[in-house]
């Protein structure tokens, strides 16, 4: 039976790789990656760098395929994502069947951690549900952007005894959840803050854990414009951006 490793690799710093992840990676015969195009070539390049640095115990092959396109501003978000996942599953299934021996071990390197706002495990479940390939799947956790954000700002995510909400930019378009004490926002492709309380404290970070890391914190009303400017400049410079932020209401008096 083929084995498929789904390995969390952290947020862009090769040193985010855990010892468990390195040991698992060194059992892989083939590493699979999806090419997102020239603008995001850095994402594949990092995966290659990780393999070159850490996959030292046996020969391996690095196999790429074109990532299926998807509409970034769909009328029906759920249906669009479902179709994209199905297309990705078909690509991965074809790669695994073609490139991995029946008793071989393959690996998919996942940005951050496979359990948090990543589609890879859902896509693997689609492959398993089809029943065409026999796969034994192992998941190795990684450092998330949420952890890297807190480390970068040198803060705990939660206040004493307080809850943490982890959500997406799409979900706070109408404001923060009622009673939210600490809200971490991910996957916010077009952040806007004008509908939020300007007295919130924001801890924002982009390219977390890497030499290109950018960190801004302060009263939202004071730093929102600065964050917008920095974000657009970084996107223009790199061709892509991954950022995360934490919002907190003022300390209770």
């Amino acid at each position: 039976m083929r084995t498929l490793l789904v390995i969390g690799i952290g947020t862009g710093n090769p040193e985010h790789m855990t010892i468990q992840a390195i040991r698992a990676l060194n059992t892989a015969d083939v590493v699979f990656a999806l090419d997102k195009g020239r603008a995001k070539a850095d994402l594949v390049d990092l995966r290659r760098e990780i393999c070159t640095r850490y996959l030292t115990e046996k020969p391996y092959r690095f196999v790429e395929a074109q990532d299926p396109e998807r509409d970034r501003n769909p009328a029906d978000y759920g249906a669009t994502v479902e179709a994209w996942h199905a297309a990705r599953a078909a690509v991965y299934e074809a790669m695994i069947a073609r490139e991995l021996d029946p008793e071989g071990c393959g690996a998919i390197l996942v940005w951050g951690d496979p359990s948090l706002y990543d589609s890879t495990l859902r896509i693997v479940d689609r492959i398993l549900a089809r029943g065409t390939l026999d796969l034994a799947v192992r998941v190795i956790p990684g450092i998330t952007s949420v952890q890297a954000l807190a480390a970068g700002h040198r803060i705990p995510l939660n206040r004493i005894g307080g809850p943490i909400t982890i959500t997406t930019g799409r979900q706070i378009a109408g404001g923060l959840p009622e009673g939210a004490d600490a809200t971490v926002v991910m996957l916010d492709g077009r952040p806007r803050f004008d509908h939020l309380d300007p007295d919130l404290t924001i801890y924002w970070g982009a390219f977390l854990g890497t030499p290109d890391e950018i960190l801004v914190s302060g009263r939202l009303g004071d730093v929102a414009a600065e964050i917008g400017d920095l974000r657009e400049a970084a996107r223009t410079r790199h061709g892509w951006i991954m950022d995360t932020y934490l919002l907190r209401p003022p300390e209770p008096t």
Side-chain angles (χ1 to χ4, degrees):
M1 178 183 292
R2 295 175 173 93
T3 299
L4 183 65
L5 308 173
V6 182
I7 302 175
I9 63 171
T11 63
N13 183 344
E15 295 186 2
H16 283 177
M17 289 284 286
T18 66
I19 294 171
Q20 182 188 23
I22 292 169
R23 285 177 175 166
L25 182 60
N26 271 281
T27 67
D29 304 299
V30 183
V31 177
F32 299 105
L34 293 182
D35 181 358
K36 298 176 180 290
R38 183 177 299 177
K40 294 186 177 180
D42 291 353
L43 304 180
V44 174
D45 290 344
L46 176 78
R47 288 167 168 84
R48 288 186 177 276
E49 180 184 348
I50 284 171
C51 290
T52 299
R53 181 183 295 198
Y54 296 121
L55 216 167
T56 59
E57 296 181 10
K58 61 187 292 187
Y60 69 94
R61 290 179 294 120
F62 193 97
V63 176
E64 295 179 57
Q66 187 65 43
D67 194 11
E69 294 288 339
R70 75 177 176 100
D71 185 355
R72 295 290 172 175
N73 298 287
D76 187 334
Y77 177 78
T80 299
V81 171
E82 283 288 315
W84 181 51
H85 285 180
R88 279 186 144 194
V91 171
Y92 272 126
E93 183 174 352
M95 278 199 294
I96 293 167
R98 183 178 64 249
E99 302 289 346
L100 193 60
D101 292 340
E103 299 299 322
C105 179
I108 298 174
L109 307 185
V110 173
W111 204 271
D113 180 87
S115 71
L116 186 63
Y117 286 113
D118 182 81
S119 62
T120 304
L121 293 178
R122 293 187 181 90
I123 288 165
V124 171
D125 282 344
R126 284 179 177 269
I127 296 171
L128 294 173
R130 282 172 51 83
T132 306
L133 295 178
D134 286 330
L135 286 175
V137 180
R138 288 180 55 208
V139 179
I140 293 87
I143 291 174
T144 69
S145 62
V146 179
Q147 295 162 282
L149 179 72
H153 284 287
R154 303 186 302 282
I155 57 169
L157 287 169
N158 63 295
R159 292 197 274 228
I160 296 174
I164 302 168
T165 300
I166 301 177
T167 189
T168 67
R170 185 181 295 272
Q171 295 299 321
I172 65 163
L176 295 183
E178 185 175 353
D181 186 59
T183 304
V184 177
V185 183
M186 305 176 67
L187 303 179
D188 194 349
R190 296 177 179 175
R192 46 177 289 269
F193 304 117
D194 55 339
H195 63 302
L196 299 175
D197 181 352
D199 287 328
L200 289 166
T201 298
I202 186 169
Y203 299 90
W204 174 83
F207 304 104
L208 291 159
T210 77
D212 297 312
E213 181 176 84
I214 312 169
L215 298 170
V216 175
S217 64
R219 178 179 174 273
L220 183 60
D222 296 333
V223 300
E226 177 188 1
I227 290 171
D229 291 343
L230 286 170
R231 194 178 190 280
E232 287 309 307
R235 180 189 284 278
T236 300
R237 185 166 62 254
H238 294 275
W240 60 279
I241 189 168
M242 289 188 183
D243 58 338
T244 305
Y245 54 93
L246 167 67
L247 296 169
R248 283 184 182 157
E251 291 279 356
T253 57

